[in-house]
Amino acid sequence: MKSYTRAERVSGEIQRIISDILRKDISDPRLTRVAISGVKMSKDLRSARIYFTLSAGKYTCEDAAEGFESAMGYIKRTLAGQLGLRYMPGIRFFYDES
């Protein structure tokens, strides 16, 4: 059985929380068809790269990136409250081209 590192466990939790935030709390139309496809954490848990994909629609990945930028404060505040880490990791959003 493979043992998971703490960074992998935290990245899974971040992915779950942000997916819930997008589905339930954010009403920005640029983010309605966005799905979080993965999260990569640094080993020291100080930074997270969050990858997203888009379903077909009228908004592009640049529009979605702008939507994430405008919702960044709310996402970080909600994430910090639910993660329970000593330090809130810096988060950045990237379009998943795969």
Side-chain angles (χ1 to χ4, degrees):
M1 184 168 85
K2 180 184 176 198
S3 63
Y4 294 97
T5 64
R6 185 161 188 236
E8 290 171 337
R9 291 191 306 268
V10 170
S11 66
E13 190 67 14
I14 288 173
Q15 183 173 356
R16 183 190 65 77
I17 292 170
I18 291 178
S19 295
D20 285 345
I21 291 170
L22 288 174
R23 191 176 67 246
K24 296 176 184 174
D25 300 334
I26 294 183
S27 60
D28 190 334
R30 297 173 290 190
L31 300 176
T32 55
R33 297 194 176 267
V34 171
I36 303 299
S37 60
V39 177
K40 297 219 178 185
M41 290 290 298
S42 63
K43 298 247 186 245
D44 62 357
L45 304 179
R46 293 290 185 151
S47 65
R49 295 173 63 101
I50 301 165
Y51 295 94
F52 66 91
T53 58
L54 287 172
S55 300
K58 67 179 184 176
Y59 295 107
T60 64
C61 61
E62 290 83 15
D63 294 331
E66 290 173 8
F68 278 122
E69 196 63 37
S70 75
M72 181 74 74
Y74 178 77
I75 291 172
K76 285 182 81 169
R77 195 169 41 254
T78 306
L79 193 60
Q82 293 186 21
L83 275 180
L85 295 175
R86 180 174 290 166
Y87 300 105
M88 176 60 199
I91 59 175
R92 294 181 55 202
F93 291 92
F94 297 93
Y95 179 65
D96 187 2
E97 297 178 8
S98 61

